[in-house]
Amino acid sequence: MKIPIEISARHVHLCPRDVEKLFGRGKRLTSQTPISQTGQFLSRERVTLRTTNSEFANVGIVGPERRETQVELAATDARRLGVAAPVRESGHLTGTPGITITGPKGSVKITHGVILSKRHIHASKKDAKRHGLRHGQLVSVSIKGERAVTFHNVIVRVHESFHWRLHLDTDEANAAGLTGNEKGDVIV
Amino acid sequence: MKIPIEISARHVHLCPRDVEKLFGRGKRLTSQTPISQTGQFLSRERVTLRTTNSEFANVGIVGPERRETQVELAATDARRLGVAAPVRESGHLTGTPGITITGPKGSVKITHGVILSKRHIHASKKDAKRHGLRHGQLVSVSIKGERAVTFHNVIVRVHESFHWRLHLDTDEANAAGLTGNEKGDVIV
């Protein structure tokens, strides 16, 4: 079964309290571009991620606000920052390292929340039913081309608001020679 | 068949003329650390790679000198530098982009030579015979673990001086969750 691939560059999710600390009292994230998953958007606002080793400026924020602040890096980024970020599913932040996030009105030093995103498939309940997949299932995805790759241990996440997509980080996309808009084949 | 994996960070190879331009008249590269392929070494000398977009300082040089200067980047690096480097075998430099290389005694602006290294296996003639592989053959290599991956289109390079190794760049290693010293399984 074919699946469209989306490449996630390093980005952050912010809780409402951290949005206020970074952008000012009473502020909310504002949408610059909707993204494929319903209701989510790349915000106009940007932050800087900083460690004693290095920093990344102009890092995107995916809104709307979430319950907990989370930073998603590629392993290349984590190495440059000197952060030992583990591979995790979104929201599974126990025991992950922290980082300093800076915006125009202030900084927050999170004590945990920095992860390498575990590669995953978004599927609606309808998609899951059609393809015989279940929430939490691990599948492989095969990608053709000069740098053909099969990614294993891809986790399926099912939610009625989801759209049928494979999400990879920039290291994974580069290893597969992807630039965006390619498709993969899901292998169960 | 099991194969040890080595991860190549961005590095350059230099022709004798460029070594003199970068490090001074009569200079030769000097070995800091021998690397796995016979006679090759990571040199004590370092260079800076620079474009109008960005730069990387302290880039390693793999010696000894070669016939033609060559720069091997990960796709993450190439994107940051704004260089449209294609996936190529080492030494296949026709039509590749150039870059500015700077050393302590001068700079060279190469007109071509920047590549993303095509993932490859080094095999001695004995290795090749033992495993039934031939020079130029494309195989797959499967890697276990949390970020398990199968890399396809891995080219086999056979030379009597070679040692049995899979060479991946840092994007590929990161996509597979590798940190060094792991092994893969070659699938013919």
PDB file of all heavy atoms in Angstrom, chain A residues 40-57:
ATOM      1  N   GLN A  40      -3.402  21.344  12.784  1.00  0.00           N
ATOM      2  CA  GLN A  40      -2.037  21.731  13.117  1.00  0.00           C
ATOM      3  C   GLN A  40      -1.510  22.750  12.115  1.00  0.00           C
ATOM      4  O   GLN A  40      -1.959  22.825  10.974  1.00  0.00           O
ATOM      5  CB  GLN A  40      -1.122  20.509  13.150  1.00  0.00           C
ATOM      6  CG  GLN A  40      -1.486  19.548  14.275  1.00  0.00           C
ATOM      7  CD  GLN A  40      -0.312  18.654  14.653  1.00  0.00           C
ATOM      8  OE1 GLN A  40       0.768  19.113  14.980  1.00  0.00           O
ATOM      9  NE2 GLN A  40      -0.546  17.365  14.604  1.00  0.00           N
ATOM     10  N   PHE A  41      -0.569  23.532  12.562  1.00  0.00           N
ATOM     11  CA  PHE A  41       0.002  24.550  11.664  1.00  0.00           C
ATOM     12  C   PHE A  41       1.448  24.844  12.049  1.00  0.00           C
ATOM     13  O   PHE A  41       1.850  24.656  13.202  1.00  0.00           O
ATOM     14  CB  PHE A  41      -0.834  25.842  11.713  1.00  0.00           C
ATOM     15  CG  PHE A  41      -0.984  26.431  13.099  1.00  0.00           C
ATOM     16  CD1 PHE A  41       0.008  27.270  13.631  1.00  0.00           C
ATOM     17  CD2 PHE A  41      -2.117  26.163  13.874  1.00  0.00           C
ATOM     18  CE1 PHE A  41      -0.132  27.811  14.906  1.00  0.00           C
ATOM     19  CE2 PHE A  41      -2.258  26.697  15.153  1.00  0.00           C
ATOM     20  CZ  PHE A  41      -1.264  27.524  15.675  1.00  0.00           C
ATOM     21  N   LEU A  42       2.216  25.298  11.059  1.00  0.00           N
ATOM     22  CA  LEU A  42       3.530  25.880  11.321  1.00  0.00           C
ATOM     23  C   LEU A  42       3.267  27.329  11.707  1.00  0.00           C
ATOM     24  O   LEU A  42       2.590  28.055  10.972  1.00  0.00           O
ATOM     25  CB  LEU A  42       4.405  25.815  10.073  1.00  0.00           C
ATOM     26  CG  LEU A  42       5.772  26.503  10.207  1.00  0.00           C
ATOM     27  CD1 LEU A  42       6.650  25.785  11.233  1.00  0.00           C
ATOM     28  CD2 LEU A  42       6.487  26.568   8.859  1.00  0.00           C
ATOM     29  N   SER A  43       3.774  27.743  12.853  1.00  0.00           N
ATOM     30  CA  SER A  43       3.436  29.084  13.346  1.00  0.00           C
ATOM     31  C   SER A  43       4.339  30.149  12.745  1.00  0.00           C
ATOM     32  O   SER A  43       5.435  29.852  12.269  1.00  0.00           O
ATOM     33  CB  SER A  43       3.517  29.113  14.873  1.00  0.00           C
ATOM     34  OG  SER A  43       4.839  29.331  15.286  1.00  0.00           O
ATOM     35  N   ARG A  44       3.876  31.379  12.761  1.00  0.00           N
ATOM     36  CA  ARG A  44       4.699  32.523  12.326  1.00  0.00           C
ATOM     37  C   ARG A  44       5.868  32.713  13.284  1.00  0.00           C
ATOM     38  O   ARG A  44       6.932  33.151  12.884  1.00  0.00           O
ATOM     39  CB  ARG A  44       3.860  33.808  12.346  1.00  0.00           C
ATOM     40  CG  ARG A  44       2.911  33.954  11.195  1.00  0.00           C
ATOM     41  CD  ARG A  44       2.386  35.403  11.104  1.00  0.00           C
ATOM     42  NE  ARG A  44       1.256  35.433  10.188  1.00  0.00           N
ATOM     43  CZ  ARG A  44      -0.013  35.210  10.538  1.00  0.00           C
ATOM     44  NH1 ARG A  44      -0.321  34.999  11.809  1.00  0.00           N
ATOM     45  NH2 ARG A  44      -0.961  35.232   9.640  1.00  0.00           N
ATOM     46  N   GLU A  45       5.647  32.395  14.552  1.00  0.00           N
ATOM     47  CA  GLU A  45       6.657  32.609  15.580  1.00  0.00           C
ATOM     48  C   GLU A  45       7.829  31.629  15.407  1.00  0.00           C
ATOM     49  O   GLU A  45       7.648  30.517  14.915  1.00  0.00           O
ATOM     50  CB  GLU A  45       6.033  32.432  16.976  1.00  0.00           C
ATOM     51  CG  GLU A  45       4.977  33.478  17.326  1.00  0.00           C
ATOM     52  CD  GLU A  45       3.622  33.273  16.629  1.00  0.00           C
ATOM     53  OE1 GLU A  45       3.337  32.148  16.161  1.00  0.00           O
ATOM     54  OE2 GLU A  45       2.848  34.244  16.544  1.00  0.00           O
ATOM     55  N   ARG A  46       8.989  32.059  15.821  1.00  0.00           N
ATOM     56  CA  ARG A  46      10.188  31.212  15.753  1.00  0.00           C
ATOM     57  C   ARG A  46      10.938  31.302  17.076  1.00  0.00           C
ATOM     58  O   ARG A  46      10.789  32.279  17.817  1.00  0.00           O
ATOM     59  CB  ARG A  46      11.125  31.704  14.641  1.00  0.00           C
ATOM     60  CG  ARG A  46      10.579  31.530  13.230  1.00  0.00           C
ATOM     61  CD  ARG A  46      10.596  30.062  12.818  1.00  0.00           C
ATOM     62  NE  ARG A  46      10.211  29.868  11.416  1.00  0.00           N
ATOM     63  CZ  ARG A  46       8.961  29.833  10.972  1.00  0.00           C
ATOM     64  NH1 ARG A  46       7.951  30.007  11.810  1.00  0.00           N
ATOM     65  NH2 ARG A  46       8.721  29.634   9.697  1.00  0.00           N
ATOM     66  N   VAL A  47      11.757  30.265  17.350  1.00  0.00           N
ATOM     67  CA  VAL A  47      12.574  30.278  18.571  1.00  0.00           C
ATOM     68  C   VAL A  47      14.018  29.913  18.231  1.00  0.00           C
ATOM     69  O   VAL A  47      14.325  29.458  17.132  1.00  0.00           O
ATOM     70  CB  VAL A  47      12.042  29.286  19.622  1.00  0.00           C
ATOM     71  CG1 VAL A  47      10.711  29.738  20.195  1.00  0.00           C
ATOM     72  CG2 VAL A  47      11.957  27.862  19.062  1.00  0.00           C
ATOM     73  N   THR A  48      14.884  30.110  19.214  1.00  0.00           N
ATOM     74  CA  THR A  48      16.276  29.644  19.132  1.00  0.00           C
ATOM     75  C   THR A  48      16.459  28.533  20.156  1.00  0.00           C
ATOM     76  O   THR A  48      15.986  28.642  21.290  1.00  0.00           O
ATOM     77  CB  THR A  48      17.242  30.812  19.428  1.00  0.00           C
ATOM     78  OG1 THR A  48      17.096  31.783  18.388  1.00  0.00           O
ATOM     79  CG2 THR A  48      18.701  30.345  19.464  1.00  0.00           C
ATOM     80  N   LEU A  49      17.133  27.467  19.741  1.00  0.00           N
ATOM     81  CA  LEU A  49      17.491  26.373  20.647  1.00  0.00           C
ATOM     82  C   LEU A  49      18.969  26.518  20.957  1.00  0.00           C
ATOM     83  O   LEU A  49      19.788  26.650  20.048  1.00  0.00           O
ATOM     84  CB  LEU A  49      17.252  25.014  19.982  1.00  0.00           C
ATOM     85  CG  LEU A  49      15.812  24.710  19.577  1.00  0.00           C
ATOM     86  CD1 LEU A  49      15.735  23.380  18.834  1.00  0.00           C
ATOM     87  CD2 LEU A  49      14.899  24.705  20.802  1.00  0.00           C
ATOM     88  N   ARG A  50      19.317  26.480  22.256  1.00  0.00           N
ATOM     89  CA  ARG A  50      20.705  26.786  22.607  1.00  0.00           C
ATOM     90  C   ARG A  50      21.234  25.831  23.678  1.00  0.00           C
ATOM     91  O   ARG A  50      20.538  25.524  24.653  1.00  0.00           O
ATOM     92  CB  ARG A  50      20.797  28.227  23.110  1.00  0.00           C
ATOM     93  CG  ARG A  50      22.225  28.698  23.401  1.00  0.00           C
ATOM     94  CD  ARG A  50      22.237  30.181  23.736  1.00  0.00           C
ATOM     95  NE  ARG A  50      21.872  30.986  22.572  1.00  0.00           N
ATOM     96  CZ  ARG A  50      20.977  31.984  22.561  1.00  0.00           C
ATOM     97  NH1 ARG A  50      20.347  32.310  23.667  1.00  0.00           N
ATOM     98  NH2 ARG A  50      20.732  32.638  21.464  1.00  0.00           N
ATOM     99  N   THR A  51      22.472  25.380  23.482  1.00  0.00           N
ATOM    100  CA  THR A  51      23.207  24.652  24.519  1.00  0.00           C
ATOM    101  C   THR A  51      24.568  25.339  24.650  1.00  0.00           C
ATOM    102  O   THR A  51      24.863  26.282  23.910  1.00  0.00           O
ATOM    103  CB  THR A  51      23.430  23.177  24.126  1.00  0.00           C
ATOM    104  OG1 THR A  51      24.237  23.134  22.952  1.00  0.00           O
ATOM    105  CG2 THR A  51      22.124  22.467  23.876  1.00  0.00           C
ATOM    106  N   THR A  52      25.385  24.840  25.552  1.00  0.00           N
ATOM    107  CA  THR A  52      26.732  25.410  25.666  1.00  0.00           C
ATOM    108  C   THR A  52      27.559  25.089  24.406  1.00  0.00           C
ATOM    109  O   THR A  52      28.524  25.777  24.101  1.00  0.00           O
ATOM    110  CB  THR A  52      27.465  24.857  26.908  1.00  0.00           C
ATOM    111  OG1 THR A  52      27.382  23.435  26.880  1.00  0.00           O
ATOM    112  CG2 THR A  52      26.820  25.367  28.187  1.00  0.00           C
ATOM    113  N   ASN A  53      27.182  24.042  23.674  1.00  0.00           N
ATOM    114  CA  ASN A  53      27.925  23.636  22.467  1.00  0.00           C
ATOM    115  C   ASN A  53      27.628  24.469  21.236  1.00  0.00           C
ATOM    116  O   ASN A  53      28.506  24.802  20.465  1.00  0.00           O
ATOM    117  CB  ASN A  53      27.569  22.188  22.077  1.00  0.00           C
ATOM    118  CG  ASN A  53      28.228  21.169  22.952  1.00  0.00           C
ATOM    119  OD1 ASN A  53      28.464  21.439  24.119  1.00  0.00           O
ATOM    120  ND2 ASN A  53      28.549  20.012  22.400  1.00  0.00           N
ATOM    121  N   SER A  54      26.330  24.756  21.012  1.00  0.00           N
ATOM    122  CA  SER A  54      25.927  25.344  19.738  1.00  0.00           C
ATOM    123  C   SER A  54      24.503  25.871  19.839  1.00  0.00           C
ATOM    124  O   SER A  54      23.902  25.846  20.917  1.00  0.00           O
ATOM    125  CB  SER A  54      26.023  24.279  18.642  1.00  0.00           C
ATOM    126  OG  SER A  54      25.859  24.845  17.369  1.00  0.00           O
ATOM    127  N   GLU A  55      23.975  26.357  18.728  1.00  0.00           N
ATOM    128  CA  GLU A  55      22.581  26.781  18.730  1.00  0.00           C
ATOM    129  C   GLU A  55      21.977  26.681  17.341  1.00  0.00           C
ATOM    130  O   GLU A  55      22.694  26.652  16.336  1.00  0.00           O
ATOM    131  CB  GLU A  55      22.458  28.231  19.240  1.00  0.00           C
ATOM    132  CG  GLU A  55      23.093  29.266  18.342  1.00  0.00           C
ATOM    133  CD  GLU A  55      22.792  30.687  18.808  1.00  0.00           C
ATOM    134  OE1 GLU A  55      22.935  30.953  20.016  1.00  0.00           O
ATOM    135  OE2 GLU A  55      22.398  31.505  17.952  1.00  0.00           O
ATOM    136  N   PHE A  56      20.661  26.604  17.293  1.00  0.00           N
ATOM    137  CA  PHE A  56      19.916  26.719  16.040  1.00  0.00           C
ATOM    138  C   PHE A  56      18.939  27.882  16.199  1.00  0.00           C
ATOM    139  O   PHE A  56      18.107  27.878  17.113  1.00  0.00           O
ATOM    140  CB  PHE A  56      19.125  25.449  15.732  1.00  0.00           C
ATOM    141  CG  PHE A  56      19.988  24.287  15.323  1.00  0.00           C
ATOM    142  CD1 PHE A  56      20.186  23.219  16.181  1.00  0.00           C
ATOM    143  CD2 PHE A  56      20.600  24.268  14.079  1.00  0.00           C
ATOM    144  CE1 PHE A  56      20.979  22.140  15.803  1.00  0.00           C
ATOM    145  CE2 PHE A  56      21.401  23.184  13.689  1.00  0.00           C
ATOM    146  CZ  PHE A  56      21.591  22.133  14.555  1.00  0.00           C
ATOM    147  N   ALA A  57      19.054  28.857  15.326  1.00  0.00           N
ATOM    148  CA  ALA A  57      18.117  29.989  15.322  1.00  0.00           C
ATOM    149  C   ALA A  57      16.971  29.683  14.355  1.00  0.00           C
ATOM    150  O   ALA A  57      17.060  28.772  13.539  1.00  0.00           O
ATOM    151  CB  ALA A  57      18.842  31.251  14.901  1.00  0.00           C
TER     152      ALA A  57
END
